[in-house]
Amino acid sequence: MVRMDAREDGFEGLVRELTPFLFRVLTPWAFSRETMEDLVQEVWMRVYRGLPGFRGRSDIRTWVYRIAVNTAARRFRREAKEAVPTETEWSDGREASDPAKVLERRLLRRRLAAALARLGPGEREIFVLRAWEGLPFAEIARWVGSTEGSVRVRYFRAVRKMRRALEGLEEVLHAG
Amino acid sequence: MRVEDDRDVLAVCRSLERFEPSAGFVERVLACCRGLEERRRFSVVGAVGLPVAAAVFLILLGVGLVALPFPDDPADPALVAAFVEDHRDLVESFAEAPTVEGGFGLFVLFRDYARSWDETLTPGTVRRSYAQLVEVLERWGG
């Protein structure tokens, strides 16, 4: 878990501190370690380019997180249009011997990413911090600069939307 | 894998396999960013600079937008960074050869982009963010 009051060590320190966090919260958008590294690298490039415009009005970790989730969601939309699986998506070493398992996980991630794409950006940020980082509502409120009550409302709204989007998941996986 | 209630949603999410960065990943990221800095140093935009008249126009446009209502809404640097990234060619070409029409078009494009990027952004945040984009263009112009 990333602490909000962590010491500022410049860009390199930020990369070292937040990269493991990004690997956790971007879980639904990457099919393999290679695609995850590609995605996280793109996030850091965007952060680096955007740093001159960062005014420090919010915590820099919150800013990086927002860029990360928006980058992932945008990339998913772009790749969904292309609908071409890359070689690396199938190269999960541990499961390579079980193509059915690989396909099932791939379908599950795609379904989750599609469901996340239907959330509003504010809902998505909150849901991801809760689902994959396991942060308490009070901590999430600090991350997104909102009140705990508002975060709870948006979170439960997001969960309801996700549940509706994931209905019939079993049939989809079996059909795959 | 059934999704019948809210707890199932979280169970599905947490069932996904997680990945760890490979050895040397952070160093590769840092090397990429250093390479980016080198390219930026020699970029055409930095060398050409922004004409004074255009810079004044941009400043006035930025100041005018900030002076509109919604004084308490802050800019969103992430929005500015995303816009610059997604429309880099357009932004760079505008910085090289700014025009009044181009400035207006840029603002309309930015406003529409901001709405699709995050529909919860207030008009004040969009305007202040645009002003921040103007500042970035000024810096690019030297």
Side-chain angles (χ1 to χ4, degrees):
Chain A
M1 189 182 297
V2 175
R3 289 177 294 110
M4 292 290 286
D5 57 351
R7 187 164 61 87
E8 174 59 54
D9 284 321
F11 183 71
E12 182 175 339
L14 200 64
V15 174
R16 292 191 187 284
E17 180 192 346
L18 289 189
T19 291
F21 165 74
L22 293 180
F23 268 70
R24 291 194 296 273
V25 294
L26 297 178
T27 293
W29 287 287
F31 297 99
S32 65
R33 188 166 76 178
E34 289 76 11
T35 52
M36 176 65 86
E37 289 189 345
D38 194 34
L39 175 59
V40 172
Q41 178 161 323
E42 183 180 342
V43 169
W44 282 122
M45 301 283 270
R46 285 175 185 269
V47 168
Y48 190 76
R49 285 177 178 144
L51 271 177
F54 179 68
R55 290 294 191 80
R57 290 198 178 105
S58 64
D59 188 283
I60 195 163
R61 291 152 191 82
T62 306
W63 182 64
V64 170
Y65 172 63
R66 292 192 67 190
I67 290 176
V69 173
N70 283 313
T71 300
R74 194 164 44 240
R75 190 176 172 135
F76 171 76
R77 284 196 293 272
R78 192 174 67 223
E79 288 174 354
K81 283 179 191 165
E82 294 167 357
V84 180
T86 63
E87 202 59 39
T88 50
E89 288 178 5
W90 301 90
S91 65
D92 188 335
R94 285 199 290 147
E95 293 180 339
S97 59
D98 187 352
K101 194 83 173 168
V102 174
L103 180 60
E104 183 175 308
R105 289 188 177 279
R106 179 186 157 78
L107 285 171
L108 177 57
R109 280 179 202 269
R110 188 168 288 275
R111 188 72 184 265
L112 272 172
L116 287 167
R118 291 196 200 108
L119 300 180
E123 293 169 345
R124 187 160 50 232
E125 286 178 9
I126 290 168
F127 181 81
V128 168
L129 280 175
R130 181 79 175 172
W132 282 282
E133 186 66 352
L135 292 183
F137 289 116
E139 185 76 5
I140 294 173
R142 291 174 65 197
W143 268 90
V144 300
S146 184
T147 64
E148 188 175 336
S150 171
V151 164
R152 280 178 186 274
V153 168
R154 279 186 281 167
Y155 170 74
F156 286 113
R157 201 163 54 206
V159 170
R160 279 199 300 276
K161 287 183 183 177
M162 290 294 288
R163 194 181 68 191
R164 279 199 296 274
L166 294 175
E167 278 171 1
L169 182 65
E170 192 179 28
E171 289 75 16
V172 171
L173 292 180
H174 286 164
Chain B
M1 190 175 292
R2 292 183 181 279
V3 182
E4 293 174 340
D5 60 31
D6 293 353
R7 281 173 303 180
D8 291 341
V9 174
L10 285 187
V12 167
C13 293
R14 289 170 181 166
S15 73
L16 292 181
E17 186 187 1
R18 295 179 174 213
F19 304 107
E20 299 285 333
S22 57
F25 172 70
V26 167
E27 283 67 30
R28 288 199 299 279
V29 167
L30 292 171
C32 275
C33 291
R34 278 194 286 270
L36 200 68
E37 182 61 31
E38 287 300 311
R39 285 198 297 279
R40 179 184 292 170
R41 206 170 288 165
F42 292 102
S43 72
V44 175
V45 174
V48 171
L50 202 62
V52 174
V56 170
F57 163 74
L58 287 171
I59 292 166
L60 290 175
L61 184 60
V63 171
L65 289 166
V66 173
L68 290 172
F70 316 106
D72 295 324
D73 292 333
D76 187 338
L79 167 63
V80 176
F83 179 82
V84 169
E85 184 59 31
D86 284 351
H87 297 284
R88 178 161 284 272
D89 290 343
L90 184 75
V91 170
E92 284 184 348
S93 63
F94 178 73
E96 276 184 277
T99 62
V100 173
E101 293 85 351
F104 181 71
L106 193 67
F107 175 65
V108 172
L109 182 66
F110 183 84
R111 185 194 59 195
D112 294 342
Y113 180 90
R115 283 175 182 160
S116 64
W117 192 75
D118 184 348
E119 67 264 30
T120 62
L121 291 177
T122 64
T125 290
V126 174
R127 286 173 175 146
R128 284 192 184 273
S129 299
Y130 181 71
Q132 198 171 81
L133 173 66
V134 168
E135 290 175 13
V136 171
L137 288 172
E138 286 170 355
R139 273 200 295 275
W140 281 12

